[in-house]
Amino acid sequence: MYDDDDGETIDYNNLKKVADELEENVKPSEIKLMLKIADRNNKYGGEEVDFEDFMHIMEQANLFWLDQN
């Protein structure tokens, strides 16, 4: 859903598109901050998020969890 261009990361354009589709009024600076925070190890200069970091954020927000058993 987020990586609609199959780039294997989620970037500003991906998040902006989702926010627009959900009719969320999110400022560009807020999207950039989300990416900076989510890029935990600064692998992408705070401008993109890979699957691992995305899942970490989802788990932290209690929106998704993996059964580790």
Side-chain angles (χ1 to χ4, degrees):
M1 176 175 155
Y2 292 92
D3 181 22
D4 65 338
D5 60 3
D6 296 325
E8 297 186 15
T9 60
I10 299 166
D11 63 16
Y12 176 88
N13 292 328
N14 298 130
L15 286 183
K16 176 74 171 120
K17 183 176 179 182
V18 171
D20 290 346
E21 288 174 358
L22 296 174
E23 298 181 1
E24 292 290 332
N25 186 20
V26 183
K27 297 176 186 175
S29 61
E30 294 171 323
I31 294 173
K32 290 176 183 177
L33 181 59
M34 286 183 229
L35 290 168
K36 185 175 182 175
I37 291 169
D39 185 11
R40 296 180 297 159
N41 297 316
N42 201 32
K43 290 182 267 187
Y44 303 100
E47 296 183 4
E48 298 178 46
V49 178
D50 60 20
F51 181 75
E52 179 183 330
D53 284 341
F54 178 77
M55 291 307 296
H56 176 77
I57 292 295
M58 296 297 280
E59 290 171 4
Q60 295 300 307
N62 290 319
L63 297 173
F64 186 86
W65 55 92
L66 295 174
D67 186 3
Q68 300 294 325
N69 294 332

